[in-house]
Amino acid sequence: EIVLTQSPPTLSLSPGERATLSCRASQSVSNFLAWYQQKPGQAPRLLIYDASNRATGVPARFSGSGSGTDFTLTISSLEPEDVAIYYCQQRSNWPPLTFGGGTKVEIK
Amino acid sequence: QVQLVESGGGVVQPGRSLRLSCAASGFTFSSYGMHWVRQAPGKGLEWVAIVSYDGRTKYYAESVKGRFTISRDNSKNTLYLEMNSLSAEDTAVYYCAKTLSEYFQHWGQGTLVTVSS
């Protein structure tokens, strides 16, 4: 089973700052990695798939990069509505499909 | 637009069974694989099961294998999850999700299953 480790657990930034979230895989997943945003009380939402492709309707301030074992989700300029928990997920070697433990993004 | 509506959650005693449903609309249901994903209170996401577009292929997480059964009725645009031998560790919000190459493209709002005596 591929284990995904996300860091940091919590990120506290001011509006307008750049947010950098990390996801590390226990073995190579090529580019088969997605990112999800889960706001409080809501279902998750697909943001990025195949490491760098934005899903439909996702604002351009969200971008994904990486391949192999190291991936990054970047929010170029943090907005108050970006407060959420962000999860990465791999589909390279499954079953099982696996998620990271999440990074909570807060506004200072 | 894609809509997924789960139902069937509730409080159930340990060892008992429960069946969840997910009504789909806004897309050609019979053309897509479908998943169940769960989230224990205050915890992260856990993939539970997938069924192929035609219902013939199914995979499960080890934690539910042998106890849960995923199925679908394409004539009713509905996905199911039959859950047996439930334990406290199965307490979670259960989401159905439409697949995009084994990513979770669209999600329902979830249904809460609480296993408690």
Side-chain angles (χ1 to χ4, degrees):
Chain A
E1 171 176 330
I2 294 178
V3 176
L4 299 177
T5 302
Q6 292 188 240
S7 61
T10 304
L11 196 55
S12 187
L13 297 168
S14 299
E17 287 194 297
R18 184 183 192 89
T20 302
L21 288 66
S22 173
C23 177
R24 178 163 289 177
S26 59
Q27 64 189 77
S28 177
V29 299
S30 184
N31 68 326
F32 298 130
L33 189 109
W35 291 92
Y36 300 85
Q37 175 193 62
Q38 187 176 31
K39 295 183 179 181
Q42 296 185 18
R45 171 197 181 193
L46 177 65
L47 293 179
I48 302 287
Y49 65 95
D50 288 345
S52 61
N53 296 309
R54 267 191 303 275
T56 302
V58 174
R61 65 180 181 274
F62 291 92
S63 64
S65 63
S67 65
T69 60
D70 290 296
F71 299 86
T72 301
L73 174 70
T74 301
I75 310 173
S76 59
S77 179
L78 196 65
E79 302 276 348
E81 61 262 32
D82 299 333
V83 167
I85 300 175
Y86 293 82
Y87 295 95
C88 56
Q89 176 244 326
Q90 66 81 25
R91 72 166 186 95
S92 172
N93 187 0
W94 70 281
L97 297 163
T98 55
F99 292 91
T103 290
K104 185 176 184 180
V105 173
E106 301 176 334
I107 295 287
K108 268 185 190 175
Chain B
Q1 71 282 17
V2 172
Q3 193 167 13
L4 300 169
V5 179
E6 302 93 338
S7 60
V11 180
V12 60
Q13 292 180 330
R16 303 299 291 265
S17 300
L18 202 62
R19 188 176 85 156
L20 306 182
S21 300
C22 170
S25 60
F27 66 104
T28 305
F29 181 71
S30 59
S31 295
Y32 291 90
M34 295 292 294
H35 300 267
W36 288 99
V37 177
R38 68 183 181 182
Q39 186 170 36
K43 302 297 184 182
L45 300 167
E46 180 187 17
W47 171 76
V48 172
I50 181 176
V51 61
S52 61
Y53 70 98
D54 59 2
R56 293 183 179 183
T57 303
K58 305 173 185 182
Y59 295 104
Y60 298 91
E62 284 298 322
S63 58
V64 307
K65 196 177 291 185
R67 299 187 300 122
F68 288 13
T69 301
I70 189 171
S71 63
R72 64 191 298 158
D73 186 336
N74 286 343
S75 69
K76 295 182 178 179
N77 288 350
T78 302
L79 175 72
Y80 302 101
L81 185 68
E82 184 76 36
M83 305 185 293
N84 298 321
S85 303
L86 286 163
S87 69
E89 289 68 39
D90 298 313
T91 293
V93 174
Y94 285 74
Y95 297 99
C96 65
K98 172 180 172 286
T99 199
L100 170 66
S101 300
E102 282 60 74
Y103 300 123
F104 309 101
Q105 184 182 29
H106 296 282
W107 300 65
Q109 85 289 349
T111 188
L112 176 62
V113 173
T114 302
V115 183
S116 174
S117 54

PDB file of all heavy atoms in Angstrom, chain B residues 64-97:
ATOM      1  N   VAL B  64     -12.823  -3.425   5.069  1.00  0.00           N
ATOM      2  CA  VAL B  64     -14.241  -3.750   4.888  1.00  0.00           C
ATOM      3  C   VAL B  64     -14.451  -5.019   4.074  1.00  0.00           C
ATOM      4  O   VAL B  64     -15.590  -5.492   3.962  1.00  0.00           O
ATOM      5  CB  VAL B  64     -15.005  -2.582   4.227  1.00  0.00           C
ATOM      6  CG1 VAL B  64     -14.777  -1.279   4.996  1.00  0.00           C
ATOM      7  CG2 VAL B  64     -14.634  -2.419   2.761  1.00  0.00           C
ATOM      8  N   LYS B  65     -13.382  -5.576   3.531  1.00  0.00           N
ATOM      9  CA  LYS B  65     -13.504  -6.753   2.667  1.00  0.00           C
ATOM     10  C   LYS B  65     -14.162  -7.897   3.424  1.00  0.00           C
ATOM     11  O   LYS B  65     -13.804  -8.193   4.558  1.00  0.00           O
ATOM     12  CB  LYS B  65     -12.118  -7.158   2.158  1.00  0.00           C
ATOM     13  CG  LYS B  65     -12.136  -8.093   0.973  1.00  0.00           C
ATOM     14  CD  LYS B  65     -10.728  -8.378   0.477  1.00  0.00           C
ATOM     15  CE  LYS B  65     -10.090  -7.170  -0.157  1.00  0.00           C
ATOM     16  NZ  LYS B  65      -8.761  -7.476  -0.738  1.00  0.00           N
ATOM     17  N   GLY B  66     -15.146  -8.518   2.776  1.00  0.00           N
ATOM     18  CA  GLY B  66     -15.873  -9.615   3.388  1.00  0.00           C
ATOM     19  C   GLY B  66     -17.073  -9.191   4.211  1.00  0.00           C
ATOM     20  O   GLY B  66     -17.897 -10.016   4.590  1.00  0.00           O
ATOM     21  N   ARG B  67     -17.158  -7.897   4.520  1.00  0.00           N
ATOM     22  CA  ARG B  67     -18.287  -7.386   5.318  1.00  0.00           C
ATOM     23  C   ARG B  67     -19.179  -6.452   4.508  1.00  0.00           C
ATOM     24  O   ARG B  67     -20.388  -6.399   4.742  1.00  0.00           O
ATOM     25  CB  ARG B  67     -17.783  -6.643   6.553  1.00  0.00           C
ATOM     26  CG  ARG B  67     -16.956  -7.469   7.518  1.00  0.00           C
ATOM     27  CD  ARG B  67     -16.664  -6.678   8.789  1.00  0.00           C
ATOM     28  NE  ARG B  67     -15.926  -5.442   8.528  1.00  0.00           N
ATOM     29  CZ  ARG B  67     -16.360  -4.221   8.861  1.00  0.00           C
ATOM     30  NH1 ARG B  67     -17.532  -4.070   9.462  1.00  0.00           N
ATOM     31  NH2 ARG B  67     -15.622  -3.148   8.604  1.00  0.00           N
ATOM     32  N   PHE B  68     -18.564  -5.690   3.607  1.00  0.00           N
ATOM     33  CA  PHE B  68     -19.313  -4.707   2.813  1.00  0.00           C
ATOM     34  C   PHE B  68     -19.427  -5.210   1.376  1.00  0.00           C
ATOM     35  O   PHE B  68     -18.512  -5.861   0.852  1.00  0.00           O
ATOM     36  CB  PHE B  68     -18.594  -3.359   2.797  1.00  0.00           C
ATOM     37  CG  PHE B  68     -18.622  -2.585   4.090  1.00  0.00           C
ATOM     38  CD1 PHE B  68     -19.029  -3.168   5.288  1.00  0.00           C
ATOM     39  CD2 PHE B  68     -18.242  -1.256   4.112  1.00  0.00           C
ATOM     40  CE1 PHE B  68     -19.049  -2.445   6.478  1.00  0.00           C
ATOM     41  CE2 PHE B  68     -18.250  -0.516   5.284  1.00  0.00           C
ATOM     42  CZ  PHE B  68     -18.652  -1.116   6.466  1.00  0.00           C
ATOM     43  N   THR B  69     -20.540  -4.856   0.725  1.00  0.00           N
ATOM     44  CA  THR B  69     -20.739  -5.184  -0.681  1.00  0.00           C
ATOM     45  C   THR B  69     -21.215  -3.943  -1.425  1.00  0.00           C
ATOM     46  O   THR B  69     -22.233  -3.351  -1.049  1.00  0.00           O
ATOM     47  CB  THR B  69     -21.762  -6.307  -0.858  1.00  0.00           C
ATOM     48  OG1 THR B  69     -21.320  -7.477  -0.153  1.00  0.00           O
ATOM     49  CG2 THR B  69     -21.944  -6.648  -2.333  1.00  0.00           C
ATOM     50  N   ILE B  70     -20.482  -3.587  -2.468  1.00  0.00           N
ATOM     51  CA  ILE B  70     -20.876  -2.466  -3.313  1.00  0.00           C
ATOM     52  C   ILE B  70     -21.630  -3.028  -4.512  1.00  0.00           C
ATOM     53  O   ILE B  70     -21.279  -4.098  -5.043  1.00  0.00           O
ATOM     54  CB  ILE B  70     -19.653  -1.634  -3.755  1.00  0.00           C
ATOM     55  CG1 ILE B  70     -20.072  -0.346  -4.457  1.00  0.00           C
ATOM     56  CG2 ILE B  70     -18.693  -2.455  -4.617  1.00  0.00           C
ATOM     57  CD1 ILE B  70     -18.910   0.626  -4.730  1.00  0.00           C
ATOM     58  N   SER B  71     -22.663  -2.343  -4.945  1.00  0.00           N
ATOM     59  CA  SER B  71     -23.427  -2.778  -6.108  1.00  0.00           C
ATOM     60  C   SER B  71     -24.085  -1.556  -6.736  1.00  0.00           C
ATOM     61  O   SER B  71     -24.056  -0.460  -6.171  1.00  0.00           O
ATOM     62  CB  SER B  71     -24.476  -3.815  -5.722  1.00  0.00           C
ATOM     63  OG  SER B  71     -25.422  -3.256  -4.818  1.00  0.00           O
ATOM     64  N   ARG B  72     -24.681  -1.770  -7.890  1.00  0.00           N
ATOM     65  CA  ARG B  72     -25.348  -0.677  -8.584  1.00  0.00           C
ATOM     66  C   ARG B  72     -26.507  -1.214  -9.396  1.00  0.00           C
ATOM     67  O   ARG B  72     -26.498  -2.378  -9.817  1.00  0.00           O
ATOM     68  CB  ARG B  72     -24.358   0.070  -9.481  1.00  0.00           C
ATOM     69  CG  ARG B  72     -23.783  -0.754 -10.616  1.00  0.00           C
ATOM     70  CD  ARG B  72     -22.616  -0.031 -11.293  1.00  0.00           C
ATOM     71  NE  ARG B  72     -23.034   1.230 -11.891  1.00  0.00           N
ATOM     72  CZ  ARG B  72     -22.199   2.237 -12.166  1.00  0.00           C
ATOM     73  NH1 ARG B  72     -20.906   2.119 -11.879  1.00  0.00           N
ATOM     74  NH2 ARG B  72     -22.639   3.339 -12.739  1.00  0.00           N
ATOM     75  N   ASP B  73     -27.488  -0.342  -9.623  1.00  0.00           N
ATOM     76  CA  ASP B  73     -28.614  -0.641 -10.497  1.00  0.00           C
ATOM     77  C   ASP B  73     -28.660   0.467 -11.535  1.00  0.00           C
ATOM     78  O   ASP B  73     -29.128   1.576 -11.251  1.00  0.00           O
ATOM     79  CB  ASP B  73     -29.908  -0.705  -9.689  1.00  0.00           C
ATOM     80  CG  ASP B  73     -31.098  -1.151 -10.527  1.00  0.00           C
ATOM     81  OD1 ASP B  73     -31.065  -0.992 -11.764  1.00  0.00           O
ATOM     82  OD2 ASP B  73     -32.064  -1.632  -9.940  1.00  0.00           O
ATOM     83  N   ASN B  74     -28.138   0.183 -12.713  1.00  0.00           N
ATOM     84  CA  ASN B  74     -28.064   1.217 -13.748  1.00  0.00           C
ATOM     85  C   ASN B  74     -29.439   1.613 -14.271  1.00  0.00           C
ATOM     86  O   ASN B  74     -29.597   2.711 -14.799  1.00  0.00           O
ATOM     87  CB  ASN B  74     -27.165   0.758 -14.891  1.00  0.00           C
ATOM     88  CG  ASN B  74     -25.689   0.805 -14.507  1.00  0.00           C
ATOM     89  OD1 ASN B  74     -25.307   1.458 -13.534  1.00  0.00           O
ATOM     90  ND2 ASN B  74     -24.858   0.109 -15.262  1.00  0.00           N
ATOM     91  N   SER B  75     -30.427   0.743 -14.109  1.00  0.00           N
ATOM     92  CA  SER B  75     -31.777   1.108 -14.538  1.00  0.00           C
ATOM     93  C   SER B  75     -32.407   2.137 -13.603  1.00  0.00           C
ATOM     94  O   SER B  75     -33.332   2.843 -13.985  1.00  0.00           O
ATOM     95  CB  SER B  75     -32.661  -0.138 -14.607  1.00  0.00           C
ATOM     96  OG  SER B  75     -32.921  -0.648 -13.314  1.00  0.00           O
ATOM     97  N   LYS B  76     -31.876   2.217 -12.382  1.00  0.00           N
ATOM     98  CA  LYS B  76     -32.396   3.166 -11.389  1.00  0.00           C
ATOM     99  C   LYS B  76     -31.397   4.284 -11.086  1.00  0.00           C
ATOM    100  O   LYS B  76     -31.664   5.114 -10.213  1.00  0.00           O
ATOM    101  CB  LYS B  76     -32.742   2.441 -10.091  1.00  0.00           C
ATOM    102  CG  LYS B  76     -33.874   1.430 -10.224  1.00  0.00           C
ATOM    103  CD  LYS B  76     -34.193   0.781  -8.885  1.00  0.00           C
ATOM    104  CE  LYS B  76     -35.354  -0.187  -9.028  1.00  0.00           C
ATOM    105  NZ  LYS B  76     -35.671  -0.862  -7.730  1.00  0.00           N
ATOM    106  N   ASN B  77     -30.271   4.288 -11.779  1.00  0.00           N
ATOM    107  CA  ASN B  77     -29.221   5.298 -11.529  1.00  0.00           C
ATOM    108  C   ASN B  77     -28.862   5.364 -10.043  1.00  0.00           C
ATOM    109  O   ASN B  77     -28.728   6.460  -9.460  1.00  0.00           O
ATOM    110  CB  ASN B  77     -29.658   6.683 -12.022  1.00  0.00           C
ATOM    111  CG  ASN B  77     -29.667   6.790 -13.530  1.00  0.00           C
ATOM    112  OD1 ASN B  77     -29.187   5.908 -14.239  1.00  0.00           O
ATOM    113  ND2 ASN B  77     -30.233   7.872 -14.043  1.00  0.00           N
ATOM    114  N   THR B  78     -28.686   4.208  -9.446  1.00  0.00           N
ATOM    115  CA  THR B  78     -28.460   4.158  -8.008  1.00  0.00           C
ATOM    116  C   THR B  78     -27.299   3.233  -7.660  1.00  0.00           C
ATOM    117  O   THR B  78     -27.173   2.140  -8.204  1.00  0.00           O
ATOM    118  CB  THR B  78     -29.731   3.704  -7.264  1.00  0.00           C
ATOM    119  OG1 THR B  78     -30.801   4.614  -7.578  1.00  0.00           O
ATOM    120  CG2 THR B  78     -29.514   3.716  -5.761  1.00  0.00           C
ATOM    121  N   LEU B  79     -26.488   3.709  -6.740  1.00  0.00           N
ATOM    122  CA  LEU B  79     -25.351   2.968  -6.182  1.00  0.00           C
ATOM    123  C   LEU B  79     -25.717   2.532  -4.770  1.00  0.00           C
ATOM    124  O   LEU B  79     -26.427   3.255  -4.062  1.00  0.00           O
ATOM    125  CB  LEU B  79     -24.129   3.884  -6.145  1.00  0.00           C
ATOM    126  CG  LEU B  79     -22.854   3.374  -5.492  1.00  0.00           C
ATOM    127  CD1 LEU B  79     -22.195   2.312  -6.374  1.00  0.00           C
ATOM    128  CD2 LEU B  79     -21.891   4.534  -5.226  1.00  0.00           C
ATOM    129  N   TYR B  80     -25.218   1.366  -4.366  1.00  0.00           N
ATOM    130  CA  TYR B  80     -25.530   0.839  -3.035  1.00  0.00           C
ATOM    131  C   TYR B  80     -24.258   0.431  -2.296  1.00  0.00           C
ATOM    132  O   TYR B  80     -23.225   0.132  -2.902  1.00  0.00           O
ATOM    133  CB  TYR B  80     -26.444  -0.384  -3.140  1.00  0.00           C
ATOM    134  CG  TYR B  80     -27.734  -0.134  -3.839  1.00  0.00           C
ATOM    135  CD1 TYR B  80     -27.917  -0.516  -5.171  1.00  0.00           C
ATOM    136  CD2 TYR B  80     -28.797   0.503  -3.194  1.00  0.00           C
ATOM    137  CE1 TYR B  80     -29.105  -0.283  -5.839  1.00  0.00           C
ATOM    138  CE2 TYR B  80     -29.990   0.746  -3.855  1.00  0.00           C
ATOM    139  CZ  TYR B  80     -30.133   0.346  -5.173  1.00  0.00           C
ATOM    140  OH  TYR B  80     -31.317   0.588  -5.827  1.00  0.00           O
ATOM    141  N   LEU B  81     -24.382   0.416  -0.964  1.00  0.00           N
ATOM    142  CA  LEU B  81     -23.342  -0.177  -0.129  1.00  0.00           C
ATOM    143  C   LEU B  81     -24.052  -0.951   0.976  1.00  0.00           C
ATOM    144  O   LEU B  81     -24.702  -0.361   1.842  1.00  0.00           O
ATOM    145  CB  LEU B  81     -22.409   0.874   0.477  1.00  0.00           C
ATOM    146  CG  LEU B  81     -21.234   0.301   1.263  1.00  0.00           C
ATOM    147  CD1 LEU B  81     -20.261  -0.417   0.313  1.00  0.00           C
ATOM    148  CD2 LEU B  81     -20.492   1.406   2.022  1.00  0.00           C
ATOM    149  N   GLU B  82     -23.943  -2.279   0.893  1.00  0.00           N
ATOM    150  CA  GLU B  82     -24.490  -3.144   1.924  1.00  0.00           C
ATOM    151  C   GLU B  82     -23.400  -3.375   2.966  1.00  0.00           C
ATOM    152  O   GLU B  82     -22.311  -3.846   2.630  1.00  0.00           O
ATOM    153  CB  GLU B  82     -24.932  -4.474   1.311  1.00  0.00           C
ATOM    154  CG  GLU B  82     -25.596  -5.417   2.282  1.00  0.00           C
ATOM    155  CD  GLU B  82     -27.029  -5.011   2.599  1.00  0.00           C
ATOM    156  OE1 GLU B  82     -27.716  -4.516   1.688  1.00  0.00           O
ATOM    157  OE2 GLU B  82     -27.452  -5.197   3.758  1.00  0.00           O
ATOM    158  N   MET B  83     -23.692  -3.024   4.214  1.00  0.00           N
ATOM    159  CA  MET B  83     -22.699  -3.106   5.283  1.00  0.00           C
ATOM    160  C   MET B  83     -23.177  -4.090   6.341  1.00  0.00           C
ATOM    161  O   MET B  83     -24.250  -3.889   6.929  1.00  0.00           O
ATOM    162  CB  MET B  83     -22.476  -1.718   5.899  1.00  0.00           C
ATOM    163  CG  MET B  83     -22.092  -0.656   4.887  1.00  0.00           C
ATOM    164  SD  MET B  83     -21.698   0.933   5.633  1.00  0.00           S
ATOM    165  CE  MET B  83     -23.301   1.389   6.272  1.00  0.00           C
ATOM    166  N   ASN B  84     -22.393  -5.131   6.573  1.00  0.00           N
ATOM    167  CA  ASN B  84     -22.718  -6.154   7.564  1.00  0.00           C
ATOM    168  C   ASN B  84     -21.683  -6.166   8.684  1.00  0.00           C
ATOM    169  O   ASN B  84     -20.580  -5.635   8.534  1.00  0.00           O
ATOM    170  CB  ASN B  84     -22.765  -7.526   6.896  1.00  0.00           C
ATOM    171  CG  ASN B  84     -23.834  -7.616   5.823  1.00  0.00           C
ATOM    172  OD1 ASN B  84     -24.931  -7.091   5.978  1.00  0.00           O
ATOM    173  ND2 ASN B  84     -23.502  -8.274   4.725  1.00  0.00           N
ATOM    174  N   SER B  85     -22.055  -6.805   9.784  1.00  0.00           N
ATOM    175  CA  SER B  85     -21.145  -6.956  10.935  1.00  0.00           C
ATOM    176  C   SER B  85     -20.494  -5.635  11.314  1.00  0.00           C
ATOM    177  O   SER B  85     -19.273  -5.529  11.480  1.00  0.00           O
ATOM    178  CB  SER B  85     -20.061  -8.003  10.616  1.00  0.00           C
ATOM    179  OG  SER B  85     -20.637  -9.236  10.275  1.00  0.00           O
ATOM    180  N   LEU B  86     -21.319  -4.621  11.453  1.00  0.00           N
ATOM    181  CA  LEU B  86     -20.790  -3.281  11.725  1.00  0.00           C
ATOM    182  C   LEU B  86     -20.196  -3.191  13.125  1.00  0.00           C
ATOM    183  O   LEU B  86     -20.661  -3.838  14.074  1.00  0.00           O
ATOM    184  CB  LEU B  86     -21.901  -2.243  11.557  1.00  0.00           C
ATOM    185  CG  LEU B  86     -22.281  -1.969  10.085  1.00  0.00           C
ATOM    186  CD1 LEU B  86     -23.630  -1.279   9.981  1.00  0.00           C
ATOM    187  CD2 LEU B  86     -21.197  -1.121   9.417  1.00  0.00           C
ATOM    188  N   SER B  87     -19.145  -2.391  13.224  1.00  0.00           N
ATOM    189  CA  SER B  87     -18.506  -2.135  14.509  1.00  0.00           C
ATOM    190  C   SER B  87     -18.314  -0.634  14.675  1.00  0.00           C
ATOM    191  O   SER B  87     -18.530   0.141  13.740  1.00  0.00           O
ATOM    192  CB  SER B  87     -17.154  -2.839  14.594  1.00  0.00           C
ATOM    193  OG  SER B  87     -16.232  -2.216  13.702  1.00  0.00           O
ATOM    194  N   ALA B  88     -17.892  -0.238  15.858  1.00  0.00           N
ATOM    195  CA  ALA B  88     -17.712   1.185  16.150  1.00  0.00           C
ATOM    196  C   ALA B  88     -16.723   1.836  15.181  1.00  0.00           C
ATOM    197  O   ALA B  88     -16.843   3.033  14.877  1.00  0.00           O
ATOM    198  CB  ALA B  88     -17.250   1.368  17.589  1.00  0.00           C
ATOM    199  N   GLU B  89     -15.764   1.052  14.702  1.00  0.00           N
ATOM    200  CA  GLU B  89     -14.764   1.580  13.771  1.00  0.00           C
ATOM    201  C   GLU B  89     -15.361   1.953  12.410  1.00  0.00           C
ATOM    202  O   GLU B  89     -14.699   2.607  11.598  1.00  0.00           O
ATOM    203  CB  GLU B  89     -13.632   0.581  13.569  1.00  0.00           C
ATOM    204  CG  GLU B  89     -12.701   0.402  14.778  1.00  0.00           C
ATOM    205  CD  GLU B  89     -13.381  -0.263  15.961  1.00  0.00           C
ATOM    206  OE1 GLU B  89     -14.186  -1.205  15.740  1.00  0.00           O
ATOM    207  OE2 GLU B  89     -13.122   0.155  17.112  1.00  0.00           O
ATOM    208  N   ASP B  90     -16.587   1.536  12.149  1.00  0.00           N
ATOM    209  CA  ASP B  90     -17.256   1.884  10.890  1.00  0.00           C
ATOM    210  C   ASP B  90     -18.050   3.180  10.992  1.00  0.00           C
ATOM    211  O   ASP B  90     -18.625   3.630  10.000  1.00  0.00           O
ATOM    212  CB  ASP B  90     -18.195   0.747  10.465  1.00  0.00           C
ATOM    213  CG  ASP B  90     -17.448  -0.550  10.194  1.00  0.00           C
ATOM    214  OD1 ASP B  90     -16.414  -0.500   9.489  1.00  0.00           O
ATOM    215  OD2 ASP B  90     -17.898  -1.604  10.687  1.00  0.00           O
ATOM    216  N   THR B  91     -18.078   3.771  12.182  1.00  0.00           N
ATOM    217  CA  THR B  91     -18.766   5.047  12.355  1.00  0.00           C
ATOM    218  C   THR B  91     -18.087   6.122  11.521  1.00  0.00           C
ATOM    219  O   THR B  91     -16.887   6.364  11.677  1.00  0.00           O
ATOM    220  CB  THR B  91     -18.771   5.460  13.843  1.00  0.00           C
ATOM    221  OG1 THR B  91     -19.578   4.530  14.570  1.00  0.00           O
ATOM    222  CG2 THR B  91     -19.319   6.868  14.012  1.00  0.00           C
ATOM    223  N   ALA B  92     -18.834   6.733  10.620  1.00  0.00           N
ATOM    224  CA  ALA B  92     -18.255   7.701   9.684  1.00  0.00           C
ATOM    225  C   ALA B  92     -19.349   8.341   8.847  1.00  0.00           C
ATOM    226  O   ALA B  92     -20.479   7.855   8.802  1.00  0.00           O
ATOM    227  CB  ALA B  92     -17.259   7.007   8.744  1.00  0.00           C
ATOM    228  N   VAL B  93     -18.990   9.422   8.186  1.00  0.00           N
ATOM    229  CA  VAL B  93     -19.791   9.931   7.085  1.00  0.00           C
ATOM    230  C   VAL B  93     -19.377   9.154   5.845  1.00  0.00           C
ATOM    231  O   VAL B  93     -18.174   9.045   5.558  1.00  0.00           O
ATOM    232  CB  VAL B  93     -19.582  11.440   6.878  1.00  0.00           C
ATOM    233  CG1 VAL B  93     -20.313  11.916   5.634  1.00  0.00           C
ATOM    234  CG2 VAL B  93     -20.057  12.214   8.106  1.00  0.00           C
ATOM    235  N   TYR B  94     -20.351   8.621   5.135  1.00  0.00           N
ATOM    236  CA  TYR B  94     -20.095   7.854   3.926  1.00  0.00           C
ATOM    237  C   TYR B  94     -20.492   8.701   2.717  1.00  0.00           C
ATOM    238  O   TYR B  94     -21.639   9.162   2.629  1.00  0.00           O
ATOM    239  CB  TYR B  94     -20.870   6.537   3.944  1.00  0.00           C
ATOM    240  CG  TYR B  94     -20.263   5.530   4.877  1.00  0.00           C
ATOM    241  CD1 TYR B  94     -20.395   5.664   6.262  1.00  0.00           C
ATOM    242  CD2 TYR B  94     -19.516   4.456   4.399  1.00  0.00           C
ATOM    243  CE1 TYR B  94     -19.807   4.760   7.138  1.00  0.00           C
ATOM    244  CE2 TYR B  94     -18.927   3.537   5.256  1.00  0.00           C
ATOM    245  CZ  TYR B  94     -19.078   3.703   6.621  1.00  0.00           C
ATOM    246  OH  TYR B  94     -18.493   2.792   7.479  1.00  0.00           O
ATOM    247  N   TYR B  95     -19.523   8.894   1.820  1.00  0.00           N
ATOM    248  CA  TYR B  95     -19.747   9.641   0.597  1.00  0.00           C
ATOM    249  C   TYR B  95     -19.747   8.700  -0.594  1.00  0.00           C
ATOM    250  O   TYR B  95     -18.894   7.798  -0.677  1.00  0.00           O
ATOM    251  CB  TYR B  95     -18.630  10.659   0.367  1.00  0.00           C
ATOM    252  CG  TYR B  95     -18.474  11.743   1.392  1.00  0.00           C
ATOM    253  CD1 TYR B  95     -17.499  11.654   2.394  1.00  0.00           C
ATOM    254  CD2 TYR B  95     -19.258  12.892   1.357  1.00  0.00           C
ATOM    255  CE1 TYR B  95     -17.325  12.672   3.316  1.00  0.00           C
ATOM    256  CE2 TYR B  95     -19.086  13.916   2.278  1.00  0.00           C
ATOM    257  CZ  TYR B  95     -18.125  13.786   3.255  1.00  0.00           C
ATOM    258  OH  TYR B  95     -17.963  14.805   4.162  1.00  0.00           O
ATOM    259  N   CYS B  96     -20.650   8.927  -1.535  1.00  0.00           N
ATOM    260  CA  CYS B  96     -20.479   8.306  -2.836  1.00  0.00           C
ATOM    261  C   CYS B  96     -19.791   9.323  -3.746  1.00  0.00           C
ATOM    262  O   CYS B  96     -19.911  10.545  -3.543  1.00  0.00           O
ATOM    263  CB  CYS B  96     -21.787   7.826  -3.436  1.00  0.00           C
ATOM    264  SG  CYS B  96     -22.985   9.100  -3.838  1.00  0.00           S
ATOM    265  N   ALA B  97     -19.052   8.802  -4.717  1.00  0.00           N
ATOM    266  CA  ALA B  97     -18.288   9.686  -5.600  1.00  0.00           C
ATOM    267  C   ALA B  97     -18.221   9.086  -6.990  1.00  0.00           C
ATOM    268  O   ALA B  97     -18.062   7.869  -7.152  1.00  0.00           O
ATOM    269  CB  ALA B  97     -16.885   9.916  -5.051  1.00  0.00           C
TER     270      ALA B  97
END
